[in-house]
């Protein structure tokens, strides 16, 4: 039985999520167009600001390793990250909102990465792209120069798994980031299968 | 030209510096004394019959644990444990260092391999960066990763790692660092806590009254 | 009074030169810079726009691959070769398994060799497309990138169908390749792609970028590398061929199935300026795309039947004692492996001679005396990949 056919949502699924994907401001716009007065809408300042922020997330041009090529591919034809308002890759961090850590972070690079993060103006977000940026990836065992996870250095908002992740996965990560900016309510859920799987790895015992 | 014929030319030129010629599994190798490596390389580059105008590769080797007559090595290198901590050992290291030079001639289209061997205490070989420019960076890399000094090198700095790095990683007894320059290099112990809370790093505090908007 | 004032400032009197303290400006290019193709850092000493000294600083992507080679076994390390030159991973796989088979004395079935050639040449085309696109990007032409990534996606689709991965494949194993051709339609698709590439796309790129007047102005007669410099700095690949030297490992030191096929080696002719300038290095890559198409067509049309693996996939691989240096022609140049076996399942030492590492060193000589903007053209035309330099 597939997920769509089942009557109860799977464990850990946020039921209210569908309702939160759209803004109240979008509905206000619709009502405005349908109404005769066409005068004003009512909303909160936060919501307008968040709406503006998520519609134009400008990433900084910061390619580190293999994943950078997939980041470029996501920005080029066929995938076209510009559809989500995140296509304006900025050469300088001072104009950017999002840092996509695309690749392996080494000990020598860690300080520079932190510097670039500090140069970005608030509000700013970080996406860890690929297994190396998430946790060292294939360089865990003998990687004397590899930082085992970029979250030792900067706080990470979205983790995009893969080695390297396909551009579709990067776009999915971008949409999850937009959800986050929207102020989607809900708690961080650790799926049960992840905990079970972590227990089953033999060498952990 | 065959490798053996080149070796005979070379032995004629440098005399006692030529230590032997071995053919077996893999490429034929000419062993040369470290003191005469620059003479040998200059001769091989300038002589009409050899004309090696390009050095393809220079490789530093740590022979620690390599048994010339045995069946495989006894040394296994150190890494990080599954819990992300550096492994340690009590073993004392021994064995020589070696450097292999692979040469090629574009005109005559033949290859040749030279090899020198120095003891672990000396660990110094004369530089050939005056013969081929490309040796400059290869030697810097060998110094960086293996700790073989190249006497007379114009600019012997570390190549890939930082100047403040401790140790030479490609040595067989190298112990992995847990931290360098306040950057943590050991892994996270996922078994204890799969999803630890992430502490935000120190960022410069904005002036009072100018709080950044919530992300 | 007025004349005295003028004299004091030194304008009226030509012999009087005021002492102005001047020094060279140290300028950092990178490691986060849009024109350095990754995390390369160039330390420049400039006088205005003129560069007096270039010092490349690398290691920002040092991923310890040679140490890992001593820890994991031969087959596991194929995964790491993918990540050297992540633009042409098949070529890196090919280089490593060639070195390992040379040490083991392992024969490869004909079908396996042909499939390796097809995969490596497709990968080479993809790498050259990225190289040309980013070179155009450095020179201020953004549009060709969109066109060239369109064809690159086609290649990635084709390779995904045969190898399973989109970008990094782990396709070649000692003794053959991992998977056979999925179906006959794949062969037809590759052949039609190659035809389309030769007849339509390469002329399109030439119209878009190669013969563009602004592009020629920026690249012709800029940063000329002489053949002597190329030899002594160990340059290989399109950099050496751009200087007018006809050298290619596929022909001069043949390996695999390459001796069976008929192909030419394009060299720089100096069409737009001096031989060995940036435009020549660029155009050699464009011509190599056509030659790769020829190779793919020949390899697929004469694809023999039979097995494609000599060793079972799950069987561990052992190599005897001994040392070999084996080299192949990667997309960037001569990719060599100095491999020492000790009789076990793990390499004792595996030094990788990467083409980008040697090609980049020429910057320290040729970059001197150039403008900063021309240095961008030089680094772009060398087509370096930092994963391969730092390893």
């Amino acid at each position: 039985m597939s997920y769509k056919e089942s009557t109860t949502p799977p464990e850990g699924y946020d039921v209210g999520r569908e309702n939160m994907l759209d803004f109240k401001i979008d509905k206000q716009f619709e009502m405005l167009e349908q109404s005769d007065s066409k005068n004003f809408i009512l909303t909160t300042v936060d919501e307008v600001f968040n709406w503006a922020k998520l519609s134009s997330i400008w990433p900084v041009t910061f390619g580190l390793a293999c994943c950078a090529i997939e980041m470029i591919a996501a920005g080029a034809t066929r995938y076209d990250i510009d559809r989500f308002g995140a296509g304006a890759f900025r050469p300088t961090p001072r104009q950017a909102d999002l840092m996509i850590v695309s690749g392996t972070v080494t000990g020598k690079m860690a300080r520079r990465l932190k510097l670039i993060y500090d140069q970005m103006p608030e509000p700013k977000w970080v996406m860890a792209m690929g297994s190396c940026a998430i946790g060292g990836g294939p360089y865990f065992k003998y990687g004397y120069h590899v930082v085992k996870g970029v979250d030792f250095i900067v706080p990470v908002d979205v983790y995009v798994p893969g080695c390297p992740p396909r551009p579709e996965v990067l776009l999915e990560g971008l949409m999850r980031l937009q959800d986050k900016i929207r102020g989607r309510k809900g708690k961080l859920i650790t799926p049960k299968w992840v905990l079970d799987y972590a227990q089953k790895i033999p060498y952990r015992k | 030209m065959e490798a053996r014929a080149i070796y005979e030319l070379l032995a004629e030129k440098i005399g006692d510096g030529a230590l032997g010629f071995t053919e077996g599994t893999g490429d034929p190798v000419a062993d040369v004394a470290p003191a005469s490596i620059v003479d040998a390389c200059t001769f091989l580059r300038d002589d009409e019959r050899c004309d090696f105008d390009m050095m393809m590769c220079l490789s530093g080797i740590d022979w620690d644990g390599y048994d010339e007559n045995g069946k495989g090595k006894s040394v296994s290198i150190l890494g990080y444990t599954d819990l992300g901590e550096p492994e340690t050992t009590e073993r004392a290291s021994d064995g020589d260092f070696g450097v292999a030079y692979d040469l090629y001639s574009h005109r005559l289209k033949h290859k040749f391999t030279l090899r020198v061997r120095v003891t672990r205490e000396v660990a110094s070989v004369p530089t050939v960066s005056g013969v081929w420019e490309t040796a400059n960076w290869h030697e810097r890399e060998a110094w960086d990763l293996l700790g073989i000094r190249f006497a007379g090198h114009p600019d012997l700095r570390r190549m890939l790692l930082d100047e403040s790095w401790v140790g030479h990683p490609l040595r067989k007894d190298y112990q992995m660092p847990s931290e360098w320059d306040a950057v943590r290099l050991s892994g996270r112990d996922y078994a204890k806590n799969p999803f630890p809370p992430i502490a935000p790093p120190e960022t410069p505090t904005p002036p009072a009254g100018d709080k950044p908007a919530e992300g | 009074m007025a004349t005295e004032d003028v004299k004091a400032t030194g304008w009226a009197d030509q012999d009087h030169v005021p002492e102005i303290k001047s020094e060279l400006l140290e300028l950092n290019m990178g490691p986060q810079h849009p024109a350095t193709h990754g995390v390369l850092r160039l330390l420049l000493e400039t006088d205005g726009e003129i560069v007096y000294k270039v010092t490349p600083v690398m290691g920002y992507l040092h991923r310890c691959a040679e140490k890992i080679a001593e820890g994991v076994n031969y087959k596991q390390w194929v995964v790491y070769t993918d990540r050297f030159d992540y633009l042409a991973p098949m070529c890196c796989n090919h280089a490593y398994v060639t070195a390992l088979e040379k040490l083991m004395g392992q024969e490869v079935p004909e079908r396996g060799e042909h499939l390796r050639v097809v995969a490596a040449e497709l990968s080479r085309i993809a790498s050259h497309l990225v190289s040309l696109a980013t070179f155009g990007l450095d020179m201020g032409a953004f549009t060709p990138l969109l066109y060239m990534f369109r064809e690159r996606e086609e290649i990635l689709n084709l390779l995904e169908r045969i190898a399973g991965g989109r970008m990094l494949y782990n396709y070649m194993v000692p003794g053959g390749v991992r998977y056979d051709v999925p179906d006959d339609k794949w062969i037809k698709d590759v052949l039609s792609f190659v035809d389309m590439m030769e007849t339509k796309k390469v002329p399109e790129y030439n119209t878009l970028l190669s013969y563009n007047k602004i592009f020629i102005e920026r690249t012709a007669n800029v940063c000329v590398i002489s053949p002597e410099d190329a030899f002594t700095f160990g340059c290989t690949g399109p950099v050496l061929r751009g200087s007018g030297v006809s050298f290619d490992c596929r022909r001069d030191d043949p390996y695999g199935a390459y001796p069976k096929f008929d192909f030419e080696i394009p060299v720089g002719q100096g069409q737009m300026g001096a031989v060995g300038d940036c435009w020549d290095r660029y155009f050699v890559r464009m011509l190599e795309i056509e030659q790769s198409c020829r190779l793919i067509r020949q390899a697929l049309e004469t694809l023999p039947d039979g097995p494609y693996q000599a060793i079972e996939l799950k069987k561990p691989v052992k190599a005897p004692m001994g040392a070999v240096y084996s080299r192949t022609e990667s997309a960037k140049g001569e990719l060599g492996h100095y491999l020492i076996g000790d009789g076990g399942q793990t390499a004792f030492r595996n030094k990788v001679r990467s083409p980008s590492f040697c090609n980049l060193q020429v910057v320290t000589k040729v970059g001197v005396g150039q403008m900063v903007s021309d240095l961008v053209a030089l680094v772009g035309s060398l087509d370096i990949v930092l994963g391969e330099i730092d390893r």
Side-chain angles (χ1 to χ4, degrees):
Chain A
M1 189 167 65
S2 73
Y3 152 65
K4 281 191 176 172
E5 291 163 2
S6 71
T7 49
T8 54
E11 190 179 347
Y13 185 76
D14 190 356
V15 185
R17 188 165 163 277
E18 276 97 347
N19 302 332
M20 310 227 177
L21 285 182
D22 286 322
F23 266 130
K24 288 177 206 150
I25 192 171
D26 291 339
K27 280 182 187 165
Q28 295 261 357
F29 274 129
E30 278 178 22
M31 287 164 66
L32 194 67
E33 285 181 0
Q34 287 161 9
S35 70
D36 295 333
S37 61
K38 297 190 179 180
N39 272 341
F40 59 90
I41 54 173
L42 284 173
T43 180
T44 59
V45 177
D46 267 1
E47 190 163 320
V48 175
F49 277 13
N50 288 344
W51 174 74
K53 282 174 197 165
L54 74 88
S55 309
S56 64
I57 307 175
W58 286 3
V60 57
T61 313
F62 188 50
L64 281 172
C66 333
C67 297
I69 307 298
E70 291 295 61
M71 188 174 76
I72 298 170
T77 31
R78 181 179 295 192
Y79 292 105
D80 194 12
I81 204 169
D82 237 346
R83 290 176 295 162
F84 305 94
F89 283 89
R90 295 281 103 187
T92 163
R94 295 183 196 281
Q95 302 165 348
D97 309 309
L98 168 67
M99 180 162 75
I100 303 176
V101 184
S102 55
T104 318
V105 183
T106 60
K108 218 171 164 179
M109 198 66 204
R111 296 223 147 193
R112 275 80 182 175
L113 190 137
K114 179 75 166 43
L115 191 69
I116 289 167
Y117 177 77
D118 286 345
Q119 283 175 347
M120 285 163 60
E122 292 277 356
K124 53 190 171 186
W125 298 278
V126 178
M127 201 187 276
M129 182 182 181
S131 352
C132 295
I134 292 173
Y139 302 95
F140 188 89
K141 175 82 176 165
Y142 297 107
Y144 51 84
H145 197 224
V146 175
V147 177
K148 316 293 185 302
V150 72
D151 45 17
F152 284 130
I153 305 163
V154 293
V156 177
D157 293 289
V158 178
Y159 295 86
V160 181
C163 189
R166 299 175 67 96
E168 295 98 316
V169 188
L170 183 64
L171 297 181
E172 168 76 14
L174 186 76
M175 285 190 266
R176 295 290 79 77
L177 181 66
Q178 288 180 334
D179 281 356
K180 184 170 179 172
I181 300 171
R182 232 173 229 132
R184 182 190 126 210
K185 298 205 175 50
K187 57 185 177 185
L188 178 69
I189 300 153
T190 306
K192 190 164 174 296
W193 70 269
V194 173
L195 292 172
D196 291 349
Y197 187 74
Q199 292 301 317
K200 276 179 197 164
I201 298 173
Y203 55 74
R204 295 282 181 229
K205 283 168 189 171
Chain B
M1 210 190 303
E2 289 294 312
R4 182 170 282 282
I6 297 173
Y7 176 71
E8 277 159 13
L9 284 176
L10 184 67
E12 205 176 296
K13 171 74 180 169
I14 60 174
D16 292 342
L19 299 179
F21 182 75
T22 43
E23 277 175 317
T25 319
D27 297 336
V29 176
D31 283 307
V32 177
S36 52
I37 182 68
V38 180
D39 286 345
C41 287
T42 316
F43 169 75
L44 288 174
R45 183 194 60 177
D46 293 340
D47 191 82
E48 277 286 304
R49 294 159 292 180
C50 304
D51 197 18
F52 287 104
D53 52 2
M54 177 181 163
M55 192 183 82
M56 296 187 287
C57 185
L58 184 149
S59 328
I61 305 153
D62 181 5
W63 289 108
D64 182 14
Y66 191 77
D67 190 0
E68 295 281 352
N69 308 309
K71 293 183 71 180
K73 72 179 173 206
S74 50
V75 178
S76 58
I77 60 168
L78 303 175
Y80 291 96
T81 61
D82 295 335
L83 303 182
E85 293 301 318
E87 291 172 351
T88 53
T89 181
E90 297 294 317
R91 192 183 67 86
S93 53
D94 61 340
D96 297 345
F97 286 125
V99 181
Y101 306 80
D102 293 282
L103 317 177
Y104 179 70
S105 164
H106 279 102
R107 185 169 64 85
L108 300 169
K109 300 202 188 305
H110 54 202
K111 289 191 263 188
F112 195 58
T113 307
L114 290 169
R115 205 149 72 184
V116 299
R117 213 175 162 111
V118 287
T119 59
R120 213 174 180 85
E121 291 74 38
V122 178
S124 176
V125 181
T127 177
V128 296
S129 58
V131 188
W132 298 283
E133 287 282 347
T134 181
N136 190 326
W137 279 20
H138 282 285
E139 285 177 351
R140 273 178 68 189
E141 194 195 319
W143 155 245
D144 186 0
L145 299 181
L146 280 148
I148 304 171
R149 283 199 171 276
F150 289 88
H153 191 282
D155 183 24
L156 196 63
R157 289 178 291 122
R158 280 183 183 263
M159 183 99 230
L160 301 175
L161 300 169
D162 198 83
E163 278 297 320
S164 62
W165 192 270
V166 181
H168 300 283
L170 276 187
R171 292 188 175 187
K172 297 282 177 190
D173 57 346
Y174 180 71
Q175 191 186 327
M176 301 280 165
S178 61
E179 192 182 88
W180 168 75
D181 195 19
V183 174
R184 181 182 166 141
L185 294 172
S186 52
R188 179 179 294 126
D189 188 352
Y190 285 97
K192 277 184 195 156
N193 186 1
F195 297 96
I198 301 158
E202 293 171 18
T203 42
T205 47
D210 189 16
K211 271 190 113 179
E214 278 297 313
Chain C
M1 190 66 190
T3 42
E4 275 181 22
D5 274 349
V6 171
K7 272 192 179 178
T9 53
W11 287 104
D13 189 359
Q14 291 294 317
D15 298 333
H16 175 73
V17 180
E19 282 193 13
I20 301 170
K21 195 183 170 222
S22 76
E23 58 185 19
L24 296 180
L25 175 73
E26 280 210 352
L27 188 68
N28 253 321
M29 248 175 91
Q32 189 260 327
H33 189 278
T36 51
H37 292 233
V39 284
L40 174 67
R41 175 175 162 215
L42 294 170
L43 203 58
L44 311 179
E45 283 183 18
T46 61
D47 177 12
E49 274 288 299
I50 308 294
V51 177
Y52 273 69
K53 193 181 176 192
V54 191
T55 317
V57 181
M58 50 255 214
Y60 294 99
L61 194 52
H62 179 48
R63 296 193 280 194
C64 334
E66 289 175 13
K67 186 75 173 177
I68 295 170
E70 298 169 13
V72 301
N73 67 35
Y74 286 117
K75 276 189 165 177
Q76 286 169 334
W77 204 59
V78 181
V79 177
Y80 295 91
T81 60
D82 275 334
R83 281 143 184 89
F84 286 158
D85 181 357
Y86 36 78
L87 294 174
M90 288 290 191
C91 297
C92 298
N93 278 351
H94 201 176
Y96 176 60
V97 293
T98 308
L100 184 55
E101 282 153 8
K102 188 178 171 190
L103 183 62
M104 290 163 63
Q106 174 72 42
E107 293 288 322
V108 183
E110 288 281 301
R111 192 178 174 85
E113 290 282 19
H114 277 243
L115 288 177
R116 278 182 184 183
V117 168
V118 174
E121 295 301 322
L122 277 175
S123 210
R124 189 189 310 273
I125 296 176
S127 166
H128 280 344
L129 284 178
V130 176
S131 159
L132 303 175
T134 50
F135 187 45
L137 200 61
D138 290 347
M139 297 295 100
F142 181 76
T143 318
L145 179 125
L146 299 176
Y147 285 80
M148 287 169 183
F149 264 76
R150 183 184 61 190
E151 273 74 59
R152 185 172 181 271
E153 292 288 340
E154 290 298 319
I155 295 175
L156 295 190
N157 273 5
L158 290 171
L159 288 176
E160 187 177 351
R161 278 163 66 188
I162 193 173
R166 185 183 131 85
M167 193 175 135
L168 305 177
Y169 308 104
N170 189 13
Y171 178 57
M172 298 181 195
V173 287
V177 293
R178 198 171 279 272
Y179 306 112
D180 199 359
V181 174
D183 44 22
D184 287 343
K185 189 166 180 304
W186 187 82
I187 298 178
K188 274 182 203 157
D189 286 352
V190 174
L191 287 175
S192 65
F193 170 78
V194 164
D195 286 340
M196 180 194 75
M197 201 73 199
E198 266 185 332
T199 54
K200 285 190 188 158
K201 299 300 174 185
V202 173
E204 188 181 342
Y205 303 149
N206 281 334
T207 323
L208 265 172
L209 193 57
S210 305
Y211 299 116
N212 182 307
K213 188 162 189 321
I214 302 171
F215 181 72
I216 293 171
E217 291 281 323
R218 280 296 304 272
T219 53
N221 278 323
V222 168
C223 293
V224 178
I225 300 178
S226 69
E228 292 76 27
D229 279 351
F231 283 149
T232 187
F233 280 102
C235 295
T236 45
V239 179
L240 182 64
R241 291 194 281 276
S243 297
V245 180
S246 173
F247 172 75
D248 193 319
C249 289
R250 289 175 288 176
R251 184 195 63 189
D252 296 315
D253 194 0
Y255 57 94
Y258 282 108
K260 286 198 259 176
F261 305 133
D262 174 36
F263 63 103
E264 287 163 19
I265 294 173
V267 292
Q269 310 274 353
Q271 268 172 282
M272 295 296 157
V275 178
D277 58 1
C278 289
W279 194 87
D280 271 357
R281 284 192 286 282
Y282 160 86
F283 200 64
V284 160
R285 294 200 177 89
M286 193 68 89
L287 296 175
E288 275 186 20
I289 289 179
E290 293 175 352
Q291 299 303 321
S292 292
C293 292
R294 277 180 72 186
L295 276 167
I296 292 167
R297 192 179 295 114
Q298 291 173 48
L300 278 182
E301 281 170 356
T302 60
L303 186 67
D305 291 332
Y308 55 95
Q309 288 169 350
I311 308 173
E312 274 182 53
L313 272 184
K314 288 189 176 173
K315 204 175 153 195
V317 166
K318 277 189 179 181
M321 297 182 81
V324 291
Y325 179 75
S326 152
R327 55 184 189 162
T328 58
E329 186 77 18
S330 147
K332 310 285 186 292
E334 173 190 326
L335 180 58
H337 284 261
Y338 188 77
L339 185 61
I340 301 180
D342 58 359
Q345 294 182 14
T346 308
F348 184 75
R349 172 87 170 95
N350 194 339
K351 153 96 183 181
V352 184
R353 183 256 193 236
S354 63
S356 301
F357 183 81
C358 301
N359 288 351
L360 180 62
Q361 201 188 347
V362 84
V363 176
T364 54
K365 177 155 190 209
V366 179
V368 173
Q370 308 284 349
M371 313 269 274
V372 177
S373 53
D374 289 346
L375 196 71
V376 171
L378 175 63
V379 173
S381 74
L382 291 179
D383 186 24
I384 51 169
V385 168
L386 265 294
E388 201 176 43
I389 292 175
D390 297 340
R391 299 186 292 284

